Amino acid sequence: MQQILNKIRSGHWVVMGILNVTPDSFSDGGQFNRLDHALKHALQMQKQGAEVIDIGGESTRPGAKPVSLDEELQRVIPVIATIREYSDVAISIDTSKPEVMQAAIMAGASMVNDVNALHAEGALEVCANQPVAVCLMHKQGNPQTMQDNPQYADIVDEIRQYLVARVSCCIKSGIRSENIFIDPGFGFGKTLENNLSLLKEMQQFCTLGYPVLVGLSRKSMFGALLGRDVEQRLVASTSAAVIAYRQGARFFRVHDVAETCDALKLCEAVL
Ligand code: 7PJ
């Protein structure tokens, strides 16, 4: 993970491949649920250029139901252990539960990606006591209801303030500032118009002093804008990654690793 942090700090981009191990994952239909499939998918994404694999056992898509601690642990820990056994790719755990963070770190994860920005009791402490990177994401509301009626006075300002406040909490708890990423949280309690504003104003997050991670891949904002199903959002997703890159985002959480890497290589070559 240290290498990846250095790479991003020196201005290069990094792609994080998404590995969902939820039966209800909207874009891979839970087909990677079994261990061997999960491993194959992770190794394939690594070969395609992913330097981090983000493993999530609880779907956070709009309307998804929470899963129990035991269920989440059973889904993610064997997958992390298996990938760790066969590959040296960096592993990120996509969770909001401190117990899952802890177990994932023990099994070999070196990053905690929390859509809840380490709000759960004990989460800050788990991340402060170990050499892990953290990603703090903004969301409004909870997955069950967040898309019902999101409201903002000034969305960019509100999210900037939220992220800055969460960063301070992390630093106060003992998390090293070099280990912190921030993320405006596309699609988490945001209308299409909100998401487009965030993409347009990406630069305002990239100048806060912390590297920015973006998760735009196959999101429903493209469905809303283009009327396209999840499998038909590749061009919009990579184009959006390029728009974010041009404004300073350097860490990209994606399903389509090879295509995103092509687009980002082009961006870097042009600059
Ligand atoms: C994000 C995420 C995101 C970060 C998900 C999906 C929904 N983590 N986890 N940022 N999205 N950091 O992939 O559509 O945008 S789950």
Side-chain angles (χ1 to χ4, degrees):
M1 184 52 67
Q2 200 52 52
Q3 265 169 295
I4 289 160
L5 291 166
N6 289 338
K7 199 174 162 188
I8 290 174
R9 214 169 289 132
S10 56
H12 298 290
W13 52 269
V14 168
V15 161
M16 167 190 264
I18 302 170
L19 183 62
N20 285 318
V21 288
T22 58
D24 59 355
S25 310
F26 77 108
S27 60
D28 61 20
Q31 75 193 94
F32 296 109
N33 216 6
R34 284 176 36 234
L35 222 47
D36 53 335
H37 279 98
L39 176 64
K40 263 192 206 137
H41 191 201
L43 295 178
Q44 185 196 18
M45 289 194 289
Q46 182 182 20
K47 206 167 143 195
Q48 291 177 336
E51 292 177 79
V52 185
I53 304 295
D54 189 43
I55 301 173
E58 177 172 48
S59 175
T60 43
R61 73 192 166 94
K65 293 196 182 70
V67 297
S68 72
L69 172 60
D70 278 352
E71 173 73 25
E72 195 177 334
L73 286 168
Q74 274 173 33
R75 287 180 188 176
V76 298
I77 301 305
V79 173
I80 294 173
T82 306
I83 295 171
R84 190 67 308 136
E85 194 178 329
Y86 291 95
S87 162
D88 59 357
V89 71
I91 295 173
S92 158
I93 176 71
D94 185 344
T95 189
S96 296
K97 296 188 181 77
E99 298 90 342
V100 177
M101 294 171 190
Q102 180 63 53
I105 294 165
M106 303 294 287
S110 53
M111 176 165 183
V112 171
N113 174 28
D114 184 5
V115 301
N116 207 21
L118 305 180
H119 267 292
E121 189 169 347
L124 285 165
E125 289 73 14
V126 167
C127 296
N129 292 324
Q130 342 221 14
V132 288
V134 300
C135 179
L136 307 171
M137 197 198 79
H138 172 273
K139 68 175 169 56
Q140 186 179 87
N142 294 304
Q144 288 89 335
T145 53
M146 67 190 179
Q147 290 308 103
D148 292 354
N149 188 21
Q151 301 272 347
Y152 298 90
D154 177 338
I155 187 167
V156 173
D157 190 52
E158 198 169 321
I159 296 178
R160 272 167 59 106
Q161 286 189 28
Y162 172 84
L163 293 172
V164 167
R166 289 312 293 160
V167 165
S168 309
C169 285
C170 285
I171 291 172
K172 264 187 219 136
S173 306
I175 295 173
R176 292 157 59 97
S177 65
E178 313 89 86
N179 288 341
I180 300 173
F181 291 91
I182 54 174
D183 179 346
F186 286 98
F188 284 81
K190 283 123 189 159
T191 62
L192 170 60
E193 195 196 355
N194 292 156
N195 287 313
L196 294 174
S197 303
L198 294 179
L199 190 54
K200 181 179 176 208
E201 301 297 333
M202 203 65 225
Q203 196 184 4
Q204 299 210 41
F205 302 102
C206 298
T207 49
L208 288 173
Y210 294 86
V212 171
L213 185 156
V214 288
L216 286 153
S217 187
R218 301 185 187 173
K219 287 221 162 147
S220 59
M221 59 185 283
F222 305 121
L225 183 69
L226 307 169
R228 297 217 182 265
D229 289 341
V230 135
E231 319 78 54
Q232 301 176 323
R233 297 177 191 166
L234 170 64
V235 173
S237 300
T238 48
S239 304
V242 169
I243 296 171
Y245 176 91
R246 293 281 297 165
Q247 297 175 76
R250 289 294 180 268
F251 205 178
F252 299 84
R253 182 183 179 276
V254 307
H255 300 88
D256 303 291
V257 172
E259 293 86 349
T260 308
C261 288
D262 277 0
L264 294 171
K265 272 181 201 161
L266 172 63
C267 288
E268 194 165 273
V270 169
L271 288 191

